[in-house]
């Protein structure tokens, strides 16, 4: 979808400046304005189990979590927030609590009495999703909006009266039928859905709210947030509400961290985001250091670009609101094709190639493809007018990259290069322009690599990548391939969409995800969603091929796309039945006898 060039989400794509927002109070914690970017998480205990919830909230607060979310799926669950809040405060903990609401306005009304913030999802707060296809006339559409106004306004009044905050949070894949039929399952539909609820809040002079636009696909998530911020700019200066960032169902382990860093990190780098939550299918406590590291690294000081009179004109060469790969020309380097529509290639250094030489033949899909020093890559400073002019006058395409030690972040340096270099020249992306000399901490190497390379890939920039921030040769390659996978750029293994546990979860998500991964991890390019409950089921799986969803305690429903095809399967049989379903749809292959290792 093409958008008007007047849409802007960021004052300058080539330097960092944080978006200016109004301040929203959540209890004693201020979001937006001049305040630090706040770190949130969500507990996994059953909301009716007061001691378990209190223990988990206190542990998260101790770990540095600044706002804690608790699910409140019905009025009965919401009522117990009174006890949870009382016990948390009695323990001397002042961390604000948020009630997560889906489907039940009466649960929201109850929860607002006891917690500092309410999260509503416009796609299912006042709508029953039937996945119906019908045309809505303008009158019918207005009638539906009036029904939503009647359902939502009492909550707005109550939050205003009790000084509660609210998050208006849409999720890709859980939009209402009315929005779906007019806008489709698109970033634009996500934005319009949230703006409808925001207008109702504003009609009642209520402004203590934040927005979110979450998706499990980082490309969709990035586009949706950019479009939201651009739409808020269009609405006017008093629509400067803070933004909560998150990638839903990011998964676990390395993949979950990489996907979160691509989605959250790239938006933070553009100055968007006032509070974040990293969603991992792990104990919630593990989310906090990842979120803190993303916040810490989001604003890296950089040198001035230089005096404007000596610089090329930097004009954006892509539409930041819709993904399209930069149209480079194909090249063959060391027998590998790159550029154009060829795979984005994985480079390594000569030193690392030498360290891995004895096992490259057995590294399967994860092997290094091209040695940087022998690739003929041209390092070019995009601020050097003469060098750019010389490059663009060449008749043949050249592989280009930026030099190290430029004083710019990789995102800004490579965007600049893409803006001034003729598109036919393919670009080699680097995760860092200040490669470390000694050993590195893996998390501190993984997050910036995913943020920098992933963000550029989601902008359509990049035909090859080189990871140097991680100094272990095998791990740097694994990281490179996992970033390509998470950005949807090059699929070489099974893709998992797994939600974080919460109080709605009907089975052990972590153990089940590992079990499914063990059985299906060799299915290249198949996308499997593992969802704890029906709330995160058919909608939020969005673009998965198959779904494994908690339908009732110890009972699983299996999906093909968004359609449930098997119901109430005993949990003990469900993984086998999932495999049968994959076989029925001709997506199954037997696992190889041994998998290549990148240790």
């Amino acid at each position: 979808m093409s958008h008007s060039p007047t849409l802007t989400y960021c004052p300058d794509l080539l330097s960092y400046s944080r978006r200016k927002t109004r301040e929203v109070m959540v209890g004693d914690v201020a979001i937006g304005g001049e305040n630090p970017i706040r770190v949130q998480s969500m507990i996994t205990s059953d909301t009716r189990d007061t001691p378990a919830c209190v223990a988990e909230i206190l542990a998260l607060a101790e770990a540095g979590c600044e706002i804690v979310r608790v699910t409140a799926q019905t009025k009965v669950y919401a009522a117990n927030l009174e006890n949870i809040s009382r016990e948390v405060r009695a323990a001397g903990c002042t961390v604000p609590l948020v009630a997560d609401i889906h489907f039940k306005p009466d649960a929201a009304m109850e929860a607002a009495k006891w917690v500092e913030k309410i999260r509503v999802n416009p796609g299912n707060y006042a709508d029953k999703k039937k996945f119906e296809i019908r045309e809505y006339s303008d009158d019918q559409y207005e009638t539906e909006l009036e029904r939503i106004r009647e359902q939502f306004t009492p909550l707005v009044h109550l939050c205003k009266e009790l000084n509660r905050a609210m998050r208006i949070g849409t999720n890709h894949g859980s939009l209402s039928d009315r929005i779906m039929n007019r806008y489709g399952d698109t970033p634009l539909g996500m934005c319009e859905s949230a703006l409808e609820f925001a207008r109702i809040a504003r009609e009642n002079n209520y402004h203590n709210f934040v927005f979110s636009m979450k998706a499990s696909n980082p490309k969709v998530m990035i586009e949706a947030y950019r479009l939201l911020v651009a739409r808020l700019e269009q609405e006017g200066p008093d629509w400067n509400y803070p933004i909560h960032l998150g990638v839903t169902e990011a998964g676990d382990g390395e993949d979950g961290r990489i996907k979160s860093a691509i989605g959250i990190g790239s938006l933070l780098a553009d100055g968007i985001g006032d509070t974040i939550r990293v969603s991992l299918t792990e104990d919630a406590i593990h989310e906090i250091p990842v979120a803190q590291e993303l916040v810490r690294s989001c604003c890296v000081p950089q040198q001035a670009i230089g005096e404007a009179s000596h610089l090329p004109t930097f004009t954006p060469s892509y539409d930041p609101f819709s993904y399209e790969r930069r149209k480079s020309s194909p090249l063959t380097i060391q027998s590998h094709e790159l550029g154009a529509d060829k795979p984005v290639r994985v480079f390594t250094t000569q030193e690392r190639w030498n360290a891995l030489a004895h096992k490259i033949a057995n590294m399967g899909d994860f092997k290094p493809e091209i040695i940087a020093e022998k690739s003929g890559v041209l390092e070019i400073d995009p601020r050097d007018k003469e060098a750019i002019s010389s490059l663009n006058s060449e008749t043949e395409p050249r592989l280009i990259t930026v030099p190290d030690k430029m004083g710019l972040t990789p995102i800004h340096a490579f965007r600049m290069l893409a803006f001034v270099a003729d598109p036919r020249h393919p670009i080699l992306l680097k995760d860092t322009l200040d490669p470390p000399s000694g050993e590195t901490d893996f998390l501190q190497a993984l997050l910036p690599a995913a943020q920098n390379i992933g963000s550029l890939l989601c902008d359509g920039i990049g035909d090859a990548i080189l990871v140097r921030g991680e100094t272990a040769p095998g791990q740097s390659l694994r990281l490179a391939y996992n970033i390509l996978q998470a950005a949807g750029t090059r699929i070489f293994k099974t893709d998992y969409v797994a939600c974080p546990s919460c109080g709605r979860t009907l089975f052990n998500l972590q153990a089940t995800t590992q079990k499914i991964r063990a059985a299906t991890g060799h299915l290249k390019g198949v996308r499997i969603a593992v969802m704890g409950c029906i709330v995160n089921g058919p909608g939020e799986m969005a673009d998965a091929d198959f779904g494994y969803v908690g339908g009732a305690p110890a009972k699983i429903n299996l999906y093909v796309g968004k359609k449930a095809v098997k119901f109430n399967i005993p949990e003990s049989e469900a993984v086998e039945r999932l495999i049968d379903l994959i076989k029925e749809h001709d997506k199954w292959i037997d696992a190889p006898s041994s998998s290549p290792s990148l240790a």
Side-chain angles (χ1 to χ4, degrees):
M1 181 183 298
S2 182
H3 296 281
S4 159
T6 57
L7 278 179
T8 58
Y9 74 94
C10 172
D12 185 357
L13 291 171
L14 303 177
S15 67
Y16 175 85
S17 64
R18 188 168 163 197
R19 175 175 170 262
K20 301 276 189 288
T21 73
R22 66 173 72 215
E23 187 176 82
V24 164
M25 296 302 299
V26 184
D28 295 332
V29 173
I31 294 175
E34 299 297 317
N35 297 288
I37 295 163
R38 304 295 188 183
V39 170
Q40 303 194 23
S41 186
M42 185 172 185
I43 66 167
T44 60
S45 303
D46 188 313
T47 310
R48 296 164 299 183
D49 185 342
T50 305
C53 289
V54 171
E56 203 175 346
I57 291 165
L58 295 178
L60 279 170
E62 181 70 23
C65 183
E66 296 168 279
I67 298 170
V68 178
R69 193 152 44 109
V70 185
T71 188
Q73 57 264 58
T74 68
K75 190 175 178 182
V76 171
Y77 285 77
N80 198 48
L81 292 169
E82 177 184 12
N83 299 320
I84 293 168
S85 178
R86 184 187 65 245
E87 296 299 320
V88 168
R89 303 292 170 247
C93 176
T94 59
V95 66
L97 301 180
V98 184
D100 196 51
I101 304 293
H102 290 270
F103 304 114
K104 301 284 187 183
D106 62 338
M109 295 294 288
E110 178 65 28
K113 299 178 196 171
W114 315 117
V115 298
E116 287 74 27
K117 184 179 173 191
I118 304 293
R119 181 274 171 116
V120 296
N121 180 346
N124 58 28
Y125 182 79
D127 285 300
K128 293 284 184 286
K129 277 189 75 63
K130 300 181 178 123
F131 297 98
E132 288 180 343
I133 297 172
R134 56 173 281 202
E135 288 296 320
Y136 285 83
S137 69
D138 288 347
D139 286 347
Q140 289 171 318
Y141 204 90
E142 197 49 53
T143 301
E144 283 284 284
L145 273 180
E146 190 51 47
R147 184 178 63 78
I148 287 164
R149 192 175 278 111
E150 286 172 17
Q151 292 266 6
F152 185 51
T153 300
L155 179 63
V156 172
H157 286 164
L158 185 59
C159 286
K160 197 173 162 188
E161 178 191 331
L162 298 177
N163 201 23
R164 306 305 195 207
M166 191 183 293
R167 166 151 69 100
I168 299 173
T170 56
N171 281 29
H172 181 231
S174 67
L175 300 175
S176 67
D177 288 344
R178 172 178 44 80
I179 289 284
M180 287 281 285
N181 281 286
R182 183 158 287 197
Y183 300 100
D185 193 6
T186 62
L188 181 61
M190 293 167 70
C191 293
E192 292 303 327
S193 181
L195 291 172
E196 287 177 356
F197 273 61
R199 289 187 191 104
I200 295 167
R202 286 170 58 91
E203 284 165 12
N204 292 280
N205 198 27
Y206 174 74
H207 298 278
N208 204 39
F209 61 87
V210 304
F211 285 106
S212 71
M213 297 273 122
K214 298 173 84 167
S216 63
N217 179 330
K219 272 199 194 89
V220 173
M221 177 255 195
I222 290 166
E223 282 179 33
Y225 276 107
R226 286 175 174 177
L227 188 57
L228 172 71
V229 170
R231 290 285 287 108
L232 295 178
E233 292 281 323
Q234 278 188 327
E235 291 289 335
D238 69 330
W239 281 76
N240 56 344
Y241 298 99
I243 303 290
H244 170 82
L245 297 181
V247 178
T248 58
E249 291 88 50
D252 60 359
E254 223 169 287
D255 292 341
R257 285 158 176 75
I258 289 170
K259 206 178 268 191
S260 297
I262 292 173
I264 297 170
S266 67
L267 289 159
L268 289 176
D270 278 337
I272 296 172
D274 305 282
T275 170
I276 71 170
R277 190 249 171 137
V278 171
S279 300
L280 299 176
T281 312
E282 301 175 22
D283 291 339
I285 206 116
H286 298 307
E287 298 176 352
I288 307 307
V290 182
Q292 289 171 331
E293 184 61 27
L294 281 173
V295 168
R296 189 192 66 76
S297 65
C298 78
C299 176
V300 181
Q302 58 186 36
Q303 295 169 6
I305 290 174
E307 284 188 39
S309 60
H310 302 305
L311 291 176
T313 304
F314 294 109
T315 307
S317 56
Y318 59 91
D319 177 1
F321 304 103
S322 59
Y323 172 78
E324 186 181 10
R325 186 168 167 187
R326 183 172 166 272
K327 290 180 168 48
S328 57
S329 298
L331 284 176
T332 300
I333 299 176
Q334 294 166 28
S335 76
H336 291 287
E337 289 186 300
L338 59 77
D341 58 354
K342 307 302 179 192
V344 173
R345 296 299 179 183
V346 174
F347 276 50
T348 193
T349 62
Q350 182 70 63
E351 182 185 8
R352 294 182 184 187
W353 180 282
N354 294 344
L356 295 167
H358 64 288
K359 58 178 180 180
I360 286 176
N362 298 319
M363 288 171 70
D365 287 330
F366 314 115
K367 60 167 64 86
E369 294 176 307
I370 298 172
I371 299 169
E373 291 90 337
K374 294 181 177 174
S375 66
V377 64
L378 174 66
E379 290 192 347
I380 193 160
D381 187 331
R383 299 167 295 190
D384 183 338
K385 259 185 171 177
E386 286 184 16
I388 291 295
S389 175
S390 172
L391 170 74
N392 288 342
S393 65
E394 292 195 22
T395 52
E396 295 299 318
R398 291 285 304 271
L399 178 65
I400 55 174
T401 191
V402 297
D404 290 342
K405 311 292 184 186
M406 285 181 64
L408 297 174
T409 67
I411 291 174
H412 297 133
F414 280 106
R415 276 183 183 166
M416 215 178 280
L417 184 64
F419 291 177
V420 294
D422 192 291
R424 65 203 161 91
H425 300 298
I427 291 177
L428 166 65
L429 302 178
K430 300 190 280 196
D431 63 323
T432 176
L433 304 184
D434 295 289
S437 51
E439 284 189 17
T440 44
D441 173 81
F442 189 51
L443 185 65
Q444 287 181 338
L446 176 150
L447 295 177
Q451 175 183 5
N452 293 332
I453 292 177
S455 171
L456 291 158
L457 291 172
C458 290
D459 278 340
I461 298 168
D463 303 283
I465 68 173
L466 172 62
V467 171
R468 296 178 300 169
E470 167 54 49
T471 52
Q475 288 208 142
S476 70
L477 284 167
R478 188 178 79 216
L479 181 50
Y481 277 104
N482 283 338
I483 290 168
L484 291 176
Q485 170 97 13
T489 302
R490 188 169 165 184
I491 305 303
F492 66 96
K493 62 179 184 179
T494 324
D495 199 20
Y496 296 96
V497 182
C499 65
S501 292
C502 72
R504 295 186 298 266
T505 302
L506 296 165
F507 56 83
N508 185 323
L509 257 173
Q510 295 176 41
T512 304
T513 301
Q514 293 302 333
K515 194 173 168 188
I516 292 171
R517 195 187 286 272
T520 61
H522 62 288
L523 300 177
K524 192 170 176 175
V526 175
R527 198 156 204 246
I528 298 173
V530 188
M531 297 287 146
C533 72
I534 208 71
V535 168
N536 285 337
E540 293 184 23
M541 294 189 304
D543 42 8
D545 300 308
F546 301 96
Y548 180 109
V549 180
K555 293 284 196 281
I556 304 301
N557 297 342
L558 297 179
Y559 286 69
V560 175
K562 289 186 180 180
K563 185 169 186 201
V565 294
K566 312 274 184 189
F567 298 89
N568 294 321
I569 298 165
E571 196 181 335
S572 58
E573 302 170 17
V575 174
E576 284 301 319
R577 298 284 288 279
L578 173 64
I579 291 169
D580 292 341
L581 193 60
I582 296 170
K583 286 177 177 173
E584 276 176 41
H585 287 79
D586 294 325
K587 292 285 182 82
W588 182 264
I589 56 167
D590 289 329
S593 52
S594 64
S595 294
S597 168
L598 272 185

